[in-house]
Amino acid sequence: AMVLSNGTDEAEAQVAWVVAAMRRNGLHVRRSYKATKNVGKLLQDAAKMRARFAVIVEGGGVATVKDLTSGRKEQVPIGDSGPRLGGAQSGGSQVGDARSGDD
């Protein structure tokens, strides 16, 4: 999976945490260090790298998971273990863990 930011400062601040959380869950995850904030260009780069998913961190504890094979997108909460990608494959099931209520 490729993790990107939507370009806001809040989302940029969450990207490293999301990458680390997803790696702790055993996923092969990369992030873009390009200076551009053009999400379309970053998605093209992810597809060229043959990433299966792109996780676009939106800020506010939310991310958009895009299946780069099917084009399906789903907005998900970023939980304590990062966003989960399984629901984007099956369509319709929840793909994020809700954070505990004490945040």
Side-chain angles (χ1 to χ4, degrees), residues 7 9 16 23 28 32 34 37 39 41 49 62 75 78 83 90 103:
D9 290 339
R23 285 179 178 164
H28 177 79
S32 176
K34 289 194 171 185
K37 294 187 188 273
V39 174
K41 286 183 180 182
M49 288 186 229
V62 176
Q75 197 168 55
I78 299 171
S90 61
D103 290 14

Side-chain angles (χ1 to χ4, degrees), residues 18-103:
V18 169
V19 168
M22 292 175 71
R23 285 179 178 164
R24 279 192 303 273
N25 285 316
L27 296 171
H28 177 79
V29 182
R30 293 182 174 188
R31 68 172 288 178
S32 176
Y33 290 96
K34 289 194 171 185
T36 184
K37 294 187 188 273
N38 183 322
V39 174
K41 286 183 180 182
L42 294 171
L43 287 171
Q44 287 176 350
D45 288 347
K48 286 179 188 174
M49 288 186 229
R50 300 180 189 261
R52 173 96 193 269
F53 294 97
V55 178
I56 305 162
V57 179
E58 308 285 351
V62 176
T64 299
V65 176
K66 182 172 183 177
D67 183 323
L68 297 176
T69 304
S70 70
R72 188 176 314 149
K73 293 190 293 188
E74 188 169 355
Q75 197 168 55
V76 299
I78 299 171
D80 292 333
S81 59
R84 286 186 287 164
L85 303 180
Q89 295 171 347
S90 61
S93 65
Q94 184 177 354
V95 295
D97 295 322
R99 289 180 177 253
S100 63
D102 297 336
D103 290 14

